[in-house]
Amino acid sequence: MPKSKRAKVVHMSKTTKKGKELTIRLYANIQECIPKYPYIYVFSVHNMRNTYLKDVRTQLSDSRLFFGKTKVMAVALGLSPETEPYPQTSLLTPHLHGSVGLLFSPRPPSAILSYFSTFVPLDFARAGGTASRSFVLPAGMLYSRGGDIPEEEDVPLAHSVEPHLRKLGLPTRLVKGKVELDGEFVVCREGEVLGSGQTTLLKMFGVAMAEFRVGVEAHWERETGKVTVVGDGVEKKLDVEGMNVGGEESEDVDVES
């Protein structure tokens, strides 16, 4: 068979995988932070958004935040009393599963808990999320906020989006350059699991339903060597006995500060 004379793209640079390098760096940085900060917090994230997590990092500039592989973070804190770098840091490892991270801070629990309770920015929901309220588009001319605000404060929807609305299942039509809805259309109901089409419509009409929340699961105090579990507003001290250790890898993008 004759040799092909088609032009071939030859890449002159080679890239190396950084997975192992990042793992080693995450482990080393966590172990380096343990003796530097008086408090370690295990925090969980609801409706993860990297933008807001970076805002937390900026506002807590005197602290260090790690959001990476939970198994690596667990090993760095110690999987048992025999492997923990400081007394009882291993008691934090059972909480390192799911969408969680570590926060090393000089700030006491009262300050951190107060900060996270007030930092709750709203964002647009993603597919698979749950609707926090019902949203219904009224029949007639469509406005940019879909009836969420009075018509005199709103503006008519741009005619250019009408074909896209029909593709999403809305019974719309153009009347003298204005988008009109033939009948009331229920975009979502409260408590419903949202699909991609629904989240597209919610974003198009400026309806934000996803609350970015950070909650403290547990925290460790270096002075006493005690771990306190935070749940349902009740703090509970933990002892070494009777604790199981485990961890899963977080599915979110690594963020380190």
Side-chain angles (χ1 to χ4, degrees), residues 40-95:
I40 304 174
Y41 300 90
V42 176
F43 65 89
S44 59
V45 180
H46 181 64
N47 285 322
M48 172 64 186
R49 302 290 190 274
N50 278 334
T51 300
Y52 297 135
L53 197 61
K54 289 177 180 178
D55 289 341
V56 172
R57 179 180 62 185
T58 301
Q59 294 172 21
L60 299 180
S61 57
D62 57 349
S63 307
R64 290 290 303 273
L65 184 150
F66 299 92
F67 197 82
K69 293 184 177 180
T70 54
K71 287 183 179 179
V72 178
M73 294 190 292
V75 172
L77 293 177
L79 297 177
S80 66
E82 292 76 23
T83 60
E84 59 190 13
Y86 266 72
Q88 301 203 47
T89 56
S90 63
L91 293 182
L92 290 174
T93 58
H95 303 281

Side-chain angles (χ1 to χ4, degrees), residues 157-210:
L157 201 65
H159 71 276
S160 57
V161 302
E162 195 273 335
H164 187 46
L165 291 174
R166 279 190 280 110
K167 287 182 180 179
L168 292 171
L170 274 69
T172 59
R173 55 196 174 94
L174 283 176
V175 179
K176 296 181 179 180
K178 304 294 184 182
V179 182
E180 288 199 359
L181 190 63
D182 289 339
E184 186 179 83
F185 187 85
V186 179
V187 177
C188 65
R189 299 190 185 279
E190 184 178 357
E192 181 182 6
V193 177
L194 298 170
S196 59
Q198 292 169 301
T199 57
T200 300
L201 286 171
L202 290 173
K203 187 173 183 179
M204 185 179 297
F205 289 98
V207 180
M209 289 190 177

Side-chain angles (χ1 to χ4, degrees), residues 30 33-43 56-57 59-66 92 102-113 115-116 216 218-223 257:
I30 289 175
C33 285
I34 295 175
K36 291 183 177 181
Y37 294 89
Y39 300 99
I40 304 174
Y41 300 90
V42 176
F43 65 89
V56 172
R57 179 180 62 185
Q59 294 172 21
L60 299 180
S61 57
D62 57 349
S63 307
R64 290 290 303 273
L65 184 150
F66 299 92
L92 290 174
L102 290 176
L103 176 68
F104 292 80
S105 180
R107 306 190 189 191
S110 58
I112 293 297
L113 291 171
Y115 167 73
F116 284 141
V216 175
H219 56 82
W220 172 86
E221 184 178 352
R222 186 177 61 196
E223 184 177 350
S257 68

Side-chain angles (χ1 to χ4, degrees), residues 4-34:
S4 174
K5 295 183 179 180
R6 289 184 299 175
K8 295 183 179 179
V9 178
V10 179
H11 296 282
M12 303 303 294
S13 61
K14 292 184 179 180
T15 58
T16 56
K17 293 184 178 180
K18 297 183 179 180
K20 187 173 182 180
E21 179 184 337
L22 292 176
T23 297
I24 295 173
R25 189 175 68 183
L26 176 62
Y27 174 87
N29 286 343
I30 289 175
Q31 289 228 316
E32 181 184 349
C33 285
I34 295 175

